[in-house]
Amino acid sequence: MAATDLDELLRSLRVWAPGTTELRPFDPASAPEEPLPLFTRWFAEAVAAGQPEPHTMSLATTDEEGRADVRIVMLHGADEEGWSFATHATSRKGRELSAHPYAALGFYWPMLGRQVRVRGPVTSAPSEESQADLHARSTGALAAALTGRQSEVLGSVEELRRESEAAWERARENPTTPSPTWTLYRLAPEEVEFFQGDADRRHVRVLYQRGEKGWRRELLWP
C-alpha cells in the first residue's frame, strides 16, 4: 500500500466547493434580538438543505487539571433554559463537567458555510427528566445506555458484544428500564456566535453576549 502524502492531500482539498455549498447572504442587521430564534432558523435551514446529521455538535470540556477535551455529541434540544445534551455522569465528559461545569458547543453546517458556537455554565437535569429523555429515544439508544461503563477500559471486543446483546434484550423487553447514571445536561448560553461564510472571505460573524439587561449583539472581524 502506497504511503499517503498528507500535505499534498490537504492542499488538494477545497472548502465550500461550488455545487456542494450554498453561501447565502446574511445581513447582520436582520438578526433578532436574542440568539435562540436565529439558531432555530439556521438549524431548520440546514435540515432543509440536506446537511447530514445537522444535530451533531462538538462538546468541549476541561478536566480536573484544566486540560481541554472535545468530542462529538448529539443535540437533544434548545430552548429558553439552554442547549441540552446527554451522557453518563460517570463517563469522562460527565466527570469533567462535574469538576468544571462550564462547556462550549460547536455546530458546523458546511453545506451552507455556517458555524454556531455556544458557551456557558452547565447544569444537570433531575433524574426523572434525564430518564424521560432517554426513554423518548430509540431502542438502540437505550441499549447503548444500558451497556454502560462508558469511557472505562474494555477488555475485548467479545466482552462488548456480550454486554451489548444483553442490553439490547433488556431494552426490547422493557423500554422503560432505567439507566441510573444517564444524565441530561443543559448549557445556559453566555455567548452565542453565528458565522456565515463568504466566497470573498468577508465572512459575517455576529456575537451575542448575555448581560444583566439581556443580550448584547455585535460584529466581529472574520
Side-chain angles (χ1 to χ4, degrees), residues 9-30:
L9 182 58
L10 286 170
R11 287 192 295 269
S12 72
L13 299 174
R14 294 194 61 183
V15 176
W16 307 331
T20 301
T21 298
E22 178 189 355
L23 297 176
R24 300 180 180 179
F26 175 42
D27 179 3
S30 68

Side-chain angles (χ1 to χ4, degrees), residues 34-37 39-40 75-85 105 118-126 129-130 184-190 192 210 215:
E34 299 186 355
L36 183 59
F39 176 83
T40 302
L75 177 69
H76 283 217
D79 55 27
E80 289 74 15
E81 294 186 63
W83 274 249
S84 60
F85 57 93
L105 308 174
V118 188
R119 66 177 182 173
V122 177
T123 57
S124 56
E129 188 175 351
S130 295
L184 182 68
Y185 293 93
R186 285 195 178 89
L187 186 156
E190 292 181 340
V192 185
R210 189 194 295 272
W215 289 98

Side-chain angles (χ1 to χ4, degrees), residues 8-218:
E8 182 178 348
L9 182 58
L10 286 170
R11 287 192 295 269
S12 72
L13 299 174
R14 294 194 61 183
V15 176
W16 307 331
T20 301
T21 298
E22 178 189 355
L23 297 176
R24 300 180 180 179
F26 175 42
D27 179 3
S30 68
E33 295 299 317
E34 299 186 355
L36 183 59
L38 183 55
F39 176 83
T40 302
R41 190 179 84 206
W42 275 26
F43 182 83
E45 290 176 356
V47 173
Q51 174 64 55
E53 301 182 0
H55 58 319
T56 57
M57 60 188 183
S58 299
L59 167 65
T61 55
T62 53
D63 67 11
E64 292 84 350
E65 298 179 15
R67 296 173 299 185
D69 207 349
V70 67
R71 77 287 289 163
I72 304 297
V73 298
M74 187 175 72
L75 177 69
H76 283 217
D79 55 27
E80 289 74 15
E81 294 186 63
W83 274 249
S84 60
F85 57 93
T87 187
H88 288 283
T90 51
S91 68
R92 176 182 289 184
K93 51 188 173 294
R95 297 194 304 270
E96 290 172 350
L97 288 169
S98 177
H100 295 290
Y102 198 96
L105 308 174
F107 297 85
Y108 180 45
W109 301 315
M111 293 189 70
L112 297 174
R114 289 175 173 173
Q115 299 181 53
V116 180
R117 301 167 60 206
V118 188
R119 66 177 182 173
V122 177
T123 57
S124 56
S127 177
E128 297 79 7
E129 188 175 351
S130 295
Q131 296 304 304
D133 170 80
L134 175 60
H135 295 140
R137 302 178 68 201
S138 66
T139 302
L142 176 58
L146 294 175
T147 302
R149 294 193 280 178
Q150 189 178 49
S151 302
E152 294 183 15
V153 175
L154 174 66
S156 67
V157 174
E158 178 59 25
E159 182 183 6
L160 172 60
R161 185 191 64 79
R162 290 195 306 268
E163 294 291 337
S164 177
E165 287 180 352
W168 271 93
E169 185 175 351
R170 292 173 63 196
R172 291 189 182 104
E173 291 180 353
N174 184 1
T176 60
T177 303
S179 177
T181 59
W182 186 259
T183 304
L184 182 68
Y185 293 93
R186 285 195 178 89
L187 186 156
E190 292 181 340
E191 292 186 357
V192 185
E193 181 192 328
F194 294 84
F195 172 103
Q196 173 62 69
D198 178 82
D200 295 320
R201 301 301 191 266
R202 292 188 285 270
H203 314 309
V204 179
R205 295 176 63 188
V206 176
L207 176 65
Y208 289 84
Q209 293 180 302
R210 189 194 295 272
E212 294 182 357
K213 297 182 179 180
W215 289 98
R216 182 176 74 255
R217 190 181 65 207
E218 56 192 3

